[in-house]
Structure formats: structure tokens, C-alpha cells
Amino acid sequence: MMAAGERHGVAGVDRARLLDCLERLARIGADPAGGVTRLGLSAEEGRARAFLREICREAGLVTWTDAAANLFVTRPDRAAGHPVLLIGSHVDTVVQGGRLDGAYGVVAAIEVLRACTASELRLPYEPVVVAFSNEEGALVQYPFWGSRAMCGLLEGGTRARDRTGRSVRAYLAEGDGDPDRLAEAVWEPGSIAAFLELHIEQGPVLERRGVPIGVVAGIVGRTILEIEVLGQAQHAGTTPMQERRDALVAAAEVVLGVRRIAAGLDVCSTATVGYLEAAPNSTNTVPGTARLTAEVRDTDPLRLARGEAAVRAVCERAGRATGCRVVPRVAMRSRPVETDTAIQQVIAEAADELGLAHLAMPSGAGHDAQIVQAVAPVGMIFVPSTAGVSHAPAEDTPAEALAQGADVLLRTVLRLNHPPDRLSRVSGTEPALRR
């Protein structure tokens, strides 16, 4: 089996260093209850960026953080004006998430950049690493914040808040960003030749089939609705059952109805209520209000739209049945996208060169790549997830699989650069390095 990068004189990814960096990064935000809680735009995400900046500084790499709190890493001797091949992912997590989701793609991208730097390889397309901020939207309720900011797609994101009402502006001002200079975070049209994102699968397909590499063909679209239920708080012992306007009962109707949208009616691929709170949350009081989220996903935009419409219909029925007012509001939409077919082919060739079997597959999870796809061609590489678990403390991938994925990423970067015009045929542009 050929070592990664051997054909082009690149020593390859340092596997021991890759695994050590992942382990050290996992300590930042390590949750006493299990897993990693490193929420986007929080102090913990800022500490993760600081750790990566130091790692890169020690390696002789150059870093900068933009106004949206995105971290970028380049080679010190990069040639001004060269087109950019962006590689990376994100470093934030959900509450009690895993150590690999997002972080693996960033650390592996840094190792690819280090390998290219150590070889003194001159590349027509300059590799630049990115760690996007707040991909998950677990604290400030606006997923893909960093990639949207870079692509000029924030739209209503500048008004985003956490569940206590604290604004994204406050988080940026307190951390690594600058809410008054967000326009400067937008890359000019054509500035990115392509984007590559390496990620754990977050599902069971690759492991079950014994395939080490997934070549992502498409990324699921997602719509998130925030639902407010307005009932009436009353005494639990003195209010007759038939006279109640119980907000939690209405919310329960919504929860079950949302599940039926996908599990029973097959309107869309998945439909989930992942967040629910009721007030006053007292044992002897009929709940007067409730708040919950409903999320629908599908790779087909028509089915995704039907899923959203079905959620609205569920809310209407729950309101009529309980006498409550049930108000859904769209918090975020991301459209389903296809990855670039030419880049898919290059990823497959890279895996073949390393003797690794590969499988073309969709992604049921959302990724920054689907946002960047609006401004540049994208490709994604998957490695297996142990037992298909993700967004949970048990999230894991074998060390060998992590190393193999990083090797495929390196080979893909090199293949997109040789012959020199290969990536221009993919992107159809000749963009220049922004900084």
C-alpha cells in the first residue's frame, strides 16, 4: 500500500500527532457528566481555538480569526494570489457531545497542511484550514453561523440569541469576534476554488458494511421550527379536566404528531422534537406555557417542504384539541445539496490509491459544506462511527480509521492539485487567496 503523499514527495500525515491532538482537544469542555460540552461562541469554543492557534504557531503555521470567530490557518510561505483550496470543519459540540464531531476534520486538516509545509511542496491551489464557529447552534440558536458569515448568508443570524435572550453580538464581543465588522468576514465571490470536509459518518452504514471510506454524494436539508404553546396556568386539584387549557398536553400532542410525520406517514426522512420546556413546571399546577422545537430533514427539497407544512398542520390540530394557542416559527432553513461529482471522483481515486474500499452515500447530518456549496464546489469524506453513535459521550471511531481518513484527505488535496488545472476544471474559476 502506498504511503499517503508518496507520489508527490509528501511524507504523509503524522498519525500519532493526529491522535494526540484530538485527545488534548477533547479535554477542552470535557463534561463531568460525560462527553464534551464545547458550545459554539462560548468561552470553551474560544479556548479550543486558542489551543489550535498555539499548536499551529509551534508548527510554524500562520493563523488568523475573523469577525465571525472563524479560525483560519495557512502556510507561512504561501504565495499571494494563489487560489484557495479550503479544508476543515468546526470545533464546537452539542451538550454532552462527542470528541470527534467536527474536531476531527479540523485537526486532520491541520495535519494535512503540516505535511504539505514540511515537504516544501509548491501547490497551484493553496490549502487553507478553517475551523468554523458555531456549526451546531447549541447555545446561540443559529446553526452554521461561521460558514454562513463567510459566505455572506447570515440573513437573520445577526439577531440570533441563546435561550435566555442573550444576543450573538454579546457573545462575539466577549470572545474572538467583532459584531461591528461582520461584513469583513465575507469572502469575495470566487475566493474559494473548492472546500473539502472530512467527518465521522455519525451513523452505522460504513461500520456495518465494513467499508473504511464514505464518499458523500449529498447532504440532507433541515428546517427547524420553534413552537410556542400558550395555555392557562391553573390549580391542578381544583380545575376540572374538561376546563383545562394545558400547554404541556398540547406540546405532547405536537411531539407525537411530529414523530408520526416521518415514522408513520413518511412525509420526510426524519422529524424530531429535541427540546421541550414547560412553565411553571410545578407538580400541582397545570402548565400554562410550553416551548419546543421541531426539526425535519430530507435530501429532497419537496419532501422537506412537505415536512414543514406537516409540522404546521400538527400544531394547528393540537391547538384545536386542547384549546391552547400553538404558534410555530421557522428558526432556520438549510437546503439539501449535492456535492461536486468531479470531487467525488477525486476522493474515490485517493481512496483507491491507498487501497481503501469506499462507498458513495448521502449524509443524514447537516454540515458546513452544504453552506459553502452556495459559493464553491464541495466534497466530503466520511470515516466509520462506532455503533453509529454521535452527539453523545459514546461517540468514537477506531484510531486506524481516523488515520485512514486523514490520509485520504491528504491524497485528495494532492490529486486536486495535479495536474495543475484539475481543480479549475472542477470549480470553473481562478480565485485568489483572500489574506
Side-chain angles (χ1 to χ4, degrees), residues 9 48 65 86 91 93 123 147 154 156 170 173 225 243 295 307 396 400:
T65 304
L86 201 62
V91 294
T93 74
L123 298 173
S147 52
L154 273 180
L225 295 101
E243 295 182 18
E295 178 199 85
D396 200 13
E400 180 65 17

Side-chain angles (χ1 to χ4, degrees), residues 394-409:
E395 177 183 279
D396 200 13
T397 294
E400 180 65 17
L402 294 173
Q404 289 172 342
D407 284 344
V408 171
L409 179 63

Side-chain angles (χ1 to χ4, degrees), residues 38-116:
R38 191 168 58 232
L39 307 184
L41 301 178
S42 70
E44 287 75 22
E45 190 194 40
R47 287 171 53 209
R49 280 191 295 271
F51 167 75
L52 293 174
R53 282 195 296 267
E54 181 61 19
I55 289 289
C56 293
R57 185 194 65 78
E58 293 173 355
L61 302 173
V62 177
T63 70
W64 80 85
T65 304
D66 70 10
N70 295 315
L71 173 66
F72 296 93
V73 188
T74 67
R75 300 193 292 179
D77 58 347
R78 70 185 188 274
H82 273 217
V84 168
L85 175 54
L86 201 62
I87 53 177
S89 192
H90 62 97
V91 294
D92 64 310
T93 74
V94 297
V95 176
Q96 286 188 263
R99 68 186 181 92
L100 298 174
D101 179 2
Y104 166 55
V106 174
V107 173
I110 291 172
E111 285 302 319
V112 166
L113 193 63
R114 293 183 70 163
C116 293

Side-chain angles (χ1 to χ4, degrees), residues 220-244:
V220 72
R222 175 168 59 149
T223 299
I224 300 174
L225 295 101
E226 294 181 345
I227 302 167
E228 184 178 27
V229 183
L230 303 173
Q232 183 175 353
Q234 296 171 298
H235 194 289
T238 61
T239 307
M241 299 299 291
Q242 67 274 17
E243 295 182 18
R244 299 184 179 198

Side-chain angles (χ1 to χ4, degrees), residues 410-431:
L410 173 60
R411 295 298 317 155
T412 302
V413 168
L414 296 177
R415 280 182 165 272
L416 285 172
N417 273 281
H418 295 278
D421 66 339
R422 187 168 193 179
L423 187 49
S424 64
R425 293 199 299 269
V426 170
S427 67
T429 61
E430 287 294 340

Side-chain angles (χ1 to χ4, degrees), residues 18-353:
L18 169 75
L19 299 174
D20 177 68
C21 188
L22 284 170
E23 181 62 32
R24 293 167 65 188
L25 185 57
R27 298 171 194 162
I28 301 173
D31 195 313
V36 180
T37 299
R38 191 168 58 232
L39 307 184
L41 301 178
S42 70
E44 287 75 22
E45 190 194 40
R47 287 171 53 209
R49 280 191 295 271
F51 167 75
L52 293 174
R53 282 195 296 267
E54 181 61 19
I55 289 289
C56 293
R57 185 194 65 78
E58 293 173 355
L61 302 173
V62 177
T63 70
W64 80 85
T65 304
D66 70 10
N70 295 315
L71 173 66
F72 296 93
V73 188
T74 67
R75 300 193 292 179
D77 58 347
R78 70 185 188 274
H82 273 217
V84 168
L85 175 54
L86 201 62
I87 53 177
S89 192
H90 62 97
V91 294
D92 64 310
T93 74
V94 297
V95 176
Q96 286 188 263
R99 68 186 181 92
L100 298 174
D101 179 2
Y104 166 55
V106 174
V107 173
I110 291 172
E111 285 302 319
V112 166
L113 193 63
R114 293 183 70 163
C116 293
T117 303
S119 71
E120 300 182 348
L121 190 66
R122 307 311 303 167
L123 298 173
Y125 294 91
E126 186 66 32
V128 175
V129 175
V130 61
F132 287 118
S133 63
N134 194 33
E135 188 266 0
E136 300 287 1
L139 175 62
V140 175
Q141 305 294 298
Y142 199 80
F144 310 122
W145 163 267
S147 52
R148 285 182 181 274
M150 186 193 74
C151 297
L153 300 172
L154 273 180
E155 300 167 347
T158 54
R159 299 187 298 274
R161 297 179 179 274
D162 67 14
R163 296 198 188 281
T164 70
R166 191 164 192 253
S167 72
V168 67
R169 292 181 61 86
Y171 281 103
L172 288 171
E174 189 177 82
D176 292 334
D178 187 338
D180 296 320
R181 302 178 66 184
L182 285 173
E184 298 177 19
V186 181
W187 285 43
E188 297 174 0
S191 295
I192 303 165
F195 174 55
L196 296 175
E197 186 168 7
L198 172 63
H199 211 280
I200 57 171
E201 180 197 341
Q202 300 182 277
V205 174
L206 291 176
E207 184 184 63
R208 286 179 180 173
R209 297 186 61 167
V211 178
I213 297 296
V215 182
V216 178
I219 305 171
V220 72
R222 175 168 59 149
T223 299
I224 300 174
L225 295 101
E226 294 181 345
I227 302 167
E228 184 178 27
V229 183
L230 303 173
Q232 183 175 353
Q234 296 171 298
H235 194 289
T238 61
T239 307
M241 299 299 291
Q242 67 274 17
E243 295 182 18
R244 299 184 179 198
R245 291 193 293 125
D246 189 323
L248 190 53
V249 169
E253 294 279 356
V254 172
V255 171
L256 295 175
V258 167
R259 174 176 170 78
R260 281 193 294 271
I261 288 169
L265 302 176
D266 191 32
V267 173
C268 53
S269 294
T270 61
T272 308
V273 172
Y275 171 82
L276 171 64
E277 65 175 18
N281 208 25
S282 171
T283 300
N284 60 354
T285 305
V286 176
T289 62
R291 296 169 61 199
L292 62 158
T293 61
E295 178 199 85
V296 294
R297 301 191 187 208
D298 206 285
T299 55
D300 184 329
L302 289 178
R303 282 170 55 86
L304 188 64
R306 289 170 186 152
E308 178 184 334
V311 170
R312 294 183 182 278
V314 164
C315 291
E316 184 179 349
R317 288 195 297 270
R320 287 199 307 265
T322 61
C324 296
R325 185 167 176 241
V326 183
V327 184
R329 180 186 67 84
V330 172
M332 192 278 293
R333 288 190 181 99
S334 61
R335 61 189 180 89
V337 302
E338 295 180 356
T339 61
D340 188 89
T341 54
I343 296 179
Q344 290 179 40
Q345 180 60 36
V346 175
I347 294 169
E349 291 171 2
D352 287 338
E353 187 170 331

